[in-house]
Amino acid sequence: MDFNRKTPCVLLLTPPMVQLNTPYPATPVLAGFLKEHGVEAHQADLSLEVALRLFTPETVEEAVRRLPKGRVPRKLAGFAANARGYCDNVAPVVRFLQGAAPELAWRFSRPGALPEGPHFRELTPDEEGDPEETLLALCGPQGIEGRAKIRASLFLDDLAGYLSATLDPDFAFARYAEHLAVAAPSFDPILRRLEGPASYIDAILDDLVAEQLRRFHPDYVGVTVPFPGTVYGAFRIARAVRRLAPGVRTLLGGGYVNSELRDLTDERVFDYFDFISYDEGFAPLLGILGLGPRVRTRVRGTSPADVANGKCAGVAPEPCRVRVSDYTDLDLGRYLSLVETSNPMHRLWSDGRWLKVQLASGCYWHRCRFCDVALDYIGRYAMPDPRQAVDAMLAMRGATGIGAFHFTDEAVPPSLCRAISDEILARGEKIVWWGNIRFDKGFTPDLAARMAEAGCIAVTGGLECACDRLLALMDKGITCAGARAVCEAFADAGVLVHAYLMYDYPSETIAETIEALDFVRGLFADGCLQSAFWHRFALTVHSPLAARPPKGLVPGRPAKPRHGRFALNEISYTYAGGKAGEIIGKALSLATYNYMLGRGLDMPAKVWFANLRKGATWAGKP
Ligand code: SF4
């Protein structure tokens, strides 16, 4: 802590593990906001930093040293046999995926240039397939860089698996110790792990925190937790801050807090974090720093009711505007562009640097019965001025040199898409963007073409159960035919489409699920859907379904942990009509995985269900 400083210094940290190709948006947007208010703000992405420390020759050598003596388990045999290859290539692969050594494409594009472990099987579509033919078909004969990126990414995927097996079983790309925070009514498992022996990654993280404290001398350290796979890392960071700089105040916020920690009563959490802030972090941060009223913030001794409607309840939200994120402390050239799939839509999540922008607050529809519409981030909708939104995007491009944007809204409405597109075109700007929408009939062919002209390359949206009866039941406000028309409009405009799909909705029959898969297959076959993902239905406490369950659905009672509650979001339930088995989800994923690679599009959907029962593999032919 620096006692000569007049304004507080805030250090904002992203814990491990989140995506590695681009910064997670919370710290840049909050840093920009704090600087606007004259606060000294810094940030560090400890997710990227952990990954960059793991993917080094030294760490690989340590992993080799930890290989079991004598007979090596089968899953590590490839690593043991090619240890030198992994050691020698890890640093050049990282540099290449950071975009720093494009000439290495000529080397990595060649088969056998890198050790080829289990993930390289992805390149072989079936028993007869030739991996090189597959790559050539996917990237084209001139696609040297594309082929090299896929091989280099698969090399890191393999290595991540080997490091996890030798150094820290809780490590995976995009999550760390996730099991401790998924459906976690009690804080006990996290606490036990925090106070137990440090794992390999724990030690790296402790060291990184010490480094950041020495670098910035903050008065406050804020940590964001977007999802369960970052929660343990966030508490590990707070633990390190407590031990290294006990006078520094710690704060926690983010998506996991907003949806899972609203009913928190376990006071032991406050041994690690002084403040927990809910919903949009802007006003709570000012309150914590003494620059505004204390709002939507929990401290030791408060209760969930205090945040919901009591003494620290929210003030009226500011008018909606797009924030200019600040990337000053983040070296964007160190992020890794990973291409684990040839599917052009699917790779957008891991390839390339996208500046994340939230246009509107909340969801303009906010009616779906399975969705957390009772929460502020969905239920409170406000739209920005399109001119101000484009001004903010251009300011971010000016500061970073990057003109590629990912709109992270719950669902950008057609009217806002049109207004943003008109504004971009009126200014003659050349930028690229993609984001979440609803398959709303307002997305006409004319609007899709306008969006494409303004730089829209892809949209993602919820097609959910892809069944008219269920779409009506969940109040999704769309039909299959309407969604197909929207997908066709985007396809005709050259815009890629990804669909979020759901199965096992209460009352859904197996016949409806198979029909839904057939509908999805048709979209892929006709070129109006490029990628999709199936989620199993989950009942959450903040949804209308849990608040007013339909006949036959009985929500379970949440457990009551001895020391008070930690997280609460998804709840168990029984449904009189039964539930789909695991095999249904596997069949849906297997089919969709193949559709995304252009395979199996001429076969009826039911084949995948019958085939899986016979023991087919994920990448197998039906
Ligand atoms: S599921 Fe999507 S469209 Fe429906 S209310 Fe939630 S955010 Fe809005």
Side-chain angles (χ1 to χ4, degrees), residues 302-541:
T302 55
S303 80
D306 291 327
V307 182
N309 49 23
K311 59 182 180 250
C312 49
V315 288
E318 282 184 63
C320 177
R321 70 187 173 91
V322 175
R323 309 278 174 179
V324 179
S325 293
D326 180 279
Y327 292 88
T328 310
D329 299 308
L330 303 176
D331 181 351
L332 298 175
R334 298 174 78 228
Y335 284 81
L336 299 163
S337 273
L338 297 163
V339 184
E340 288 140 330
T341 168
S342 58
N343 184 291
M345 174 73 230
H346 213 64
R347 64 191 270 178
L348 285 180
W349 277 280
S350 62
D351 184 22
R353 282 160 204 142
W354 302 95
L355 304 183
K356 311 248 181 188
V357 169
Q358 186 184 318
L359 293 173
S361 306
C363 168
Y364 72 104
W365 180 252
H366 57 78
R367 279 168 58 175
C368 301
R369 286 181 54 72
F370 60 84
C371 181
D372 287 347
V373 296
L375 297 182
D376 184 83
Y377 79 97
I378 306 269
R380 184 175 59 78
Y381 179 68
M383 196 163 111
D385 173 349
R387 275 166 308 176
Q388 186 274 323
V390 175
D391 284 345
M393 288 159 64
L394 297 182
M396 287 163 66
R397 183 182 66 179
T400 61
I402 295 174
F405 299 91
H406 178 192
F407 298 153
T408 58
D409 294 46
E410 299 308 320
V412 189
S415 58
L416 185 54
C417 282
R418 185 174 292 281
I420 294 280
S421 300
D422 288 349
E423 192 61 32
I424 293 169
L425 290 170
R427 299 188 196 197
E429 292 295 346
K430 300 282 175 256
I431 55 175
V432 170
W433 49 278
W434 62 291
N436 292 335
I437 60 157
R438 272 176 77 239
F439 291 115
D440 184 316
K441 61 181 186 310
F443 287 103
T444 59
D446 168 62
L447 176 54
R450 188 88 178 141
M451 288 165 64
E453 200 187 344
C456 176
I457 55 160
V459 292
T460 61
L463 186 50
E464 317 307 351
C465 294
C467 161
D468 282 340
R469 182 184 77 83
L470 295 163
L471 288 169
L473 212 57
M474 60 178 64
D475 204 2
K476 186 75 196 175
I478 62 170
T479 61
C480 287
R484 180 178 240 284
V486 171
C487 292
E488 281 172 357
F490 281 116
D492 289 346
V495 174
L496 301 170
V497 182
H498 170 91
Y500 296 105
L501 296 155
M502 184 192 291
Y503 70 99
D504 205 14
Y505 194 80
S507 86
E508 181 170 359
T509 65
I510 299 281
E512 283 171 330
T513 308
I514 293 174
E515 217 173 292
L517 182 61
D518 226 19
F519 177 73
V520 168
R521 178 191 61 79
L523 293 178
F524 273 102
D526 293 344
C528 27
L529 188 64
Q530 282 69 44
S531 134
F533 189 82
W534 292 88
H535 303 258
R536 190 172 192 164
F537 164 77
L539 183 65
T540 65
V541 277

Side-chain angles (χ1 to χ4, degrees), residues 50-399:
V50 164
L52 292 181
R53 288 228 189 158
L54 281 179
F55 294 124
T56 58
E58 296 73 32
T59 302
V60 177
E61 274 164 17
E62 179 60 26
V64 174
R65 276 195 289 279
R66 293 194 190 195
L67 280 169
K69 306 286 173 256
R71 198 181 160 87
V72 175
R74 224 172 117 201
K75 67 176 179 182
L76 286 169
F79 182 52
N82 292 295
R84 181 51 40 212
Y86 283 103
C87 244
D88 289 349
N89 283 294
V90 66
V93 161
V94 165
R95 276 208 317 281
F96 173 67
L97 291 175
Q98 288 175 323
E103 68 283 357
L104 288 173
W106 294 95
R107 189 167 132 200
F108 295 150
S109 63
R110 289 203 309 261
L114 294 168
E116 299 186 359
H119 283 88
F120 279 75
R121 279 186 223 129
E122 302 273 327
L123 299 182
T124 315
D126 52 52
E127 318 71 67
E128 304 98 40
D130 172 349
E132 200 45 25
E133 294 255 313
T134 312
L135 258 187
L136 279 174
L138 300 174
C139 305
Q142 304 304 320
I144 300 287
E145 196 200 337
R147 280 188 275 161
K149 263 190 165 183
I150 290 187
R151 288 187 180 283
S153 303
L154 296 177
F155 170 90
L156 278 198
D157 281 337
D158 281 336
L159 191 52
Y162 295 139
L163 296 182
S164 168
T166 49
L167 300 178
D168 193 333
D170 284 335
F171 166 70
F173 270 132
R175 59 182 188 273
Y176 180 51
E178 183 185 54
H179 60 97
L180 296 174
V182 172
S186 167
F187 188 51
D188 286 347
I190 293 178
L191 196 57
R192 265 198 301 276
R193 172 77 193 264
L194 284 169
E195 300 312 327
S199 71
Y200 192 84
I201 290 180
D202 288 347
I204 291 180
L205 195 49
D206 291 348
D207 193 45
L208 287 168
V209 173
E211 193 179 287
Q212 298 302 326
L213 292 175
R214 281 195 302 273
R215 185 174 167 207
F216 295 117
H217 301 285
D219 304 293
Y220 294 85
V221 171
V223 189
T224 179
V225 277
F227 32 72
T230 56
V231 173
Y232 172 73
F235 278 92
R236 185 84 207 175
I237 289 170
R239 176 189 183 276
V241 174
R242 282 276 193 263
R243 290 179 186 213
L244 296 166
V248 171
R249 317 296 303 275
T250 49
L251 32 140
L252 183 71
Y256 185 86
V257 172
N258 299 341
S259 55
E260 308 251 358
L261 299 188
R262 300 199 90 91
D263 294 275
L264 175 77
T265 52
D266 190 333
E267 291 268 304
R268 294 174 299 172
V269 167
F270 294 101
D271 295 341
Y272 295 86
F273 285 101
D274 297 299
F275 307 96
I276 300 183
S277 81
Y278 292 81
D279 304 325
E280 272 192 352
F282 307 114
L285 251 178
L286 290 185
I288 290 166
L289 299 178
L291 302 172
R294 180 71 64 80
V295 294
R296 302 195 301 274
T297 302
R298 294 273 313 269
V299 294
R300 196 187 289 278
T302 55
S303 80
D306 291 327
V307 182
N309 49 23
K311 59 182 180 250
C312 49
V315 288
E318 282 184 63
C320 177
R321 70 187 173 91
V322 175
R323 309 278 174 179
V324 179
S325 293
D326 180 279
Y327 292 88
T328 310
D329 299 308
L330 303 176
D331 181 351
L332 298 175
R334 298 174 78 228
Y335 284 81
L336 299 163
S337 273
L338 297 163
V339 184
E340 288 140 330
T341 168
S342 58
N343 184 291
M345 174 73 230
H346 213 64
R347 64 191 270 178
L348 285 180
W349 277 280
S350 62
D351 184 22
R353 282 160 204 142
W354 302 95
L355 304 183
K356 311 248 181 188
V357 169
Q358 186 184 318
L359 293 173
S361 306
C363 168
Y364 72 104
W365 180 252
H366 57 78
R367 279 168 58 175
C368 301
R369 286 181 54 72
F370 60 84
C371 181
D372 287 347
V373 296
L375 297 182
D376 184 83
Y377 79 97
I378 306 269
R380 184 175 59 78
Y381 179 68
M383 196 163 111
D385 173 349
R387 275 166 308 176
Q388 186 274 323
V390 175
D391 284 345
M393 288 159 64
L394 297 182
M396 287 163 66
R397 183 182 66 179

